[in-house]
Amino acid sequence: MNYPSAMQAVLRLDESAYPAIMAENRTVWYCVVNISVFGILHALFSLYFSSSMMAGSPAAEPLPPASRVTIILVGVAVAFFMHAGAAMFLWVFSRGVGGNTSFFPVYFNLGISFIGLWPLAPVLAAIQSGINGTAVLLLLFLASIYALAVILLGTKNASGLSMIRMSTAMAITIVFVGCFLYLWL
């Protein structure tokens, strides 16, 4: 299963794509590509929206190319840290409801599922740069629901849980992270 057909299957919510990717020893490669592309997309859209927001300001100067590259590299690094943290939480809470005790299947399937987050990258960058409105919030809601569905099936496959138990683990993860962010902010 080559990359385009594998990712089409993942985006179609075909759970059988994950074992096929693993059988061909492409799990790590697809995981790294999907996380990297998400980080690059978010960084590029952040650069775009921040420059468009600063366009009318007299103090706005274009960023030098080295700074743009640095922002993109930091975006990729943040995507990998976000992935690792999310994998840890999903692994812990899926184990808590009876899932597989191995960490790396959850880690890699979550990374492969990051392709479902790609449509979310421009919306998040827009919101972070101060762009808001009904259309942006609707896009955020729809892209988030779709991304959660892709991630749910990927981690469900890795943890070996039923849909109800994996949904429970994901809901606990979302509530825990939401509470943590609320307390932090």
Side-chain angles (χ1 to χ4, degrees), residues 16-92:
S16 66
Y18 297 96
I21 293 168
M22 186 174 286
E24 294 178 6
N25 293 324
R26 296 184 177 176
T27 306
V28 175
W29 171 249
Y30 292 174
C31 173
V32 169
V33 168
N34 288 349
I35 297 167
S36 298
V37 170
F38 174 76
I40 291 167
L41 284 172
H42 185 267
L44 289 173
F45 279 102
S46 293
L47 284 169
Y48 173 76
F49 287 126
S50 66
S51 65
S52 67
M53 295 294 288
M54 298 293 288
S57 171
E61 295 180 21
L63 285 174
S67 296
R68 291 181 187 154
V69 170
T70 302
I71 289 171
I72 292 169
L73 291 175
V74 168
V76 172
V78 167
F80 274 96
F81 285 128
M82 182 180 81
H83 167 253
M88 278 292 229
F89 283 122
L90 284 169
W91 172 67
V92 165

Side-chain angles (χ1 to χ4, degrees), residues 7-18 146-151 153:
M7 292 308 105
Q8 286 176 5
V10 168
L11 290 172
R12 282 192 315 263
L13 304 176
D14 181 3
E15 196 176 339
S16 66
Y18 297 96
Y146 179 69
L148 286 173
V150 174
I151 289 169
L153 290 180

Side-chain angles (χ1 to χ4, degrees), residues 44-178:
L44 289 173
F45 279 102
S46 293
L47 284 169
Y48 173 76
F49 287 126
S50 66
S51 65
S52 67
M53 295 294 288
M54 298 293 288
S57 171
E61 295 180 21
L63 285 174
S67 296
R68 291 181 187 154
V69 170
T70 302
I71 289 171
I72 292 169
L73 291 175
V74 168
V76 172
V78 167
F80 274 96
F81 285 128
M82 182 180 81
H83 167 253
M88 278 292 229
F89 283 122
L90 284 169
W91 172 67
V92 165
F93 291 122
S94 66
R95 279 186 65 189
V97 294
N100 183 359
T101 58
S102 299
F103 171 70
F104 284 110
V106 172
Y107 179 85
F108 289 124
N109 278 11
L110 177 62
I112 293 168
S113 300
F114 257 53
I115 194 167
L117 291 173
W118 290 5
L120 198 57
V123 179
L124 286 175
I127 289 173
Q128 289 169 337
S129 67
I131 299 171
N132 56 19
T134 306
V136 174
L137 292 177
L138 180 63
L139 282 172
L140 176 68
F141 176 75
L142 294 174
S144 297
I145 294 298
Y146 179 69
L148 286 173
V150 174
I151 289 169
L152 176 72
L153 290 180
T155 53
K156 175 187 170 294
N157 178 272
S159 65
L161 292 171
S162 67
M163 184 61 81
I164 292 172
R165 285 186 174 209
M166 190 62 228
S167 298
T168 302
M170 184 169 266
I172 293 169
T173 302
I174 291 168
V175 168
F176 181 83
V177 171

